[in-house]
Amino acid sequence: MITIKSPKEIELMREACRVVRETLDYVGKNIRAGMTTKDVDDMVNRYIISCGAYPSSLGYCGYPASSCVSVNEVVVHGIPSDRVILDGDIVSVDITAEKNGFNGDAARTFMIGNVSEEKRQLVKVTEECFFKAVENLGPGTPLYDIGYAVQTHAESHGYGVVRALVGHGIGREMHEDPSVPNVGKKGTGMRLKEGMTICIEPMINAGTYKVVFHKDGWTVTTMDGKPSAHYENTVLITADGVEILTL
Ligand code: MF3
Ligand code: CO
Ligand code: CO
């Protein structure tokens, strides 16, 4: 079921999304080579709690941490561990925070130290994919125009667009309808409506779009071992366009 948020609920969404944005800014300022992915998760946990919010990932379907920290070939859902972040890594940090019963969800891919030109370009294009998708987005836009925009931009650079995972609606639940794929045919799908809140989250691979789901039940990596980047924001459909709530 797709939920339409009332003006009052949108205020609460804005608050949760502000926590997410501030947490990611804080992580961006403090993440560095030599830390473990668990150190990153500790920062996330403490920051979100200090905002009077809850890290929704913690305990979600049994997930054991407050964030997903995905290094290089890890596409998404990297479980924080004793893996040490190295100079030259790209590290995606994906967090969801709940405040006053509503959720915000966003991800950034951080570049650590001296990053190769190949990885820099991947991170840049992945962010661009998000902004291409929200360009001209508003009430009445067919849902799969989002995937069309992401896919067209990513593939023009020779990248693989992950299909096995998608964006989603968000609100009282972290994952609500509809699913928001990152590939699609222009002009198809349901029409977006004012008051919907959705997460648009391109997951873009340097090589093949194919991924491997690991036996830990969470970790997703690229099939060819090449790097992957992730960029996500929670987006509100307004009367005349969109508002990016986590930016
Ligand atoms: N934040 C992720 C998303 O973008 C969901 C992570 S679920 C978790 O949809 F349990 F792995 F944290
Ligand atoms: Co997320
Ligand atoms: Co999401």
Side-chain angles (χ1 to χ4, degrees):
M1 190 189 73
I2 297 174
T3 59
I4 300 291
K5 277 76 182 177
S6 69
K8 213 170 155 185
E9 291 172 327
I10 288 167
E11 255 334 294
L12 298 177
M13 286 292 296
R14 278 204 186 91
E15 261 207 68
C17 288
R18 184 183 322 125
V19 172
V20 169
R21 183 206 330 133
E22 283 182 13
T23 305
L24 286 169
D25 287 349
Y26 176 76
V27 170
K29 285 197 183 93
N30 290 286
I31 190 170
R32 46 186 47 88
M35 283 181 173
T36 65
T37 56
K38 180 75 174 68
D39 292 333
V40 174
D41 189 64
D42 287 341
M43 282 199 281
V44 169
N45 177 277
R46 281 198 289 264
Y47 198 98
I48 292 177
I49 300 281
S50 78
C51 295
Y54 181 78
S56 318
S57 300
L58 188 58
Y60 179 82
C61 297
Y63 189 75
S66 299
S67 60
C68 300
V69 185
S70 306
V71 181
N72 296 336
E73 77 290 349
V74 182
V75 178
V76 287
H77 303 165
I79 301 174
S81 70
D82 56 9
R83 180 171 179 164
V84 176
I85 295 169
L86 302 174
D87 187 85
D89 282 350
I90 56 172
V91 183
S92 98
V93 179
D94 184 358
I95 65 174
T96 309
E98 182 187 327
K99 190 162 185 185
N100 299 320
F102 284 86
N103 288 279
D105 180 8
R108 305 282 179 262
T109 298
F110 299 111
M111 296 187 280
I112 309 299
N114 216 358
V115 171
S116 70
E117 194 45 49
E118 186 206 24
K119 284 178 175 170
R120 281 184 184 281
Q121 181 72 5
L122 175 66
V123 170
K124 176 168 171 270
V125 171
T126 302
E127 292 179 9
E128 287 168 1
C129 283
F130 170 86
F131 289 100
K132 296 270 182 194
V134 294
E135 219 174 78
N136 306 317
L137 203 67
T141 304
L143 180 64
Y144 300 147
D145 281 15
I146 293 170
Y148 176 80
V150 169
Q151 184 175 19
T152 304
H153 189 59
E155 290 181 352
S156 77
H157 289 268
Y159 295 147
V161 180
V162 175
R163 291 134 165 79
L165 297 139
V166 295
H168 50 90
I170 185 167
R172 287 189 183 277
E173 304 295 328
M174 182 197 307
H175 291 148
E176 297 185 357
D177 289 336
S179 286
V180 182
N182 290 307
V183 297
K185 194 166 177 282
K186 199 174 171 61
T188 65
M190 57 153 301
R191 307 271 166 160
L192 297 173
K193 283 201 186 74
E194 182 181 354
M196 286 182 182
T197 45
I198 58 172
C199 290
I200 299 176
E201 49 180 311
M203 290 155 267
I204 307 298
N205 297 348
T208 178
Y209 70 82
K210 291 183 182 167
V211 297
V212 178
F213 289 83
H214 289 245
K215 290 205 188 83
D216 62 16
W218 291 102
T219 313
V220 182
T221 60
T222 56
M223 191 166 270
D224 57 12
K226 290 188 178 172
S228 180
H230 184 203
Y231 185 80
E232 172 178 30
N233 282 304
T234 299
V235 169
L236 166 70
I237 310 300
T238 62
D240 57 358
V242 298
E243 182 180 332
I244 304 169
L245 299 179
T246 46
L247 204 60

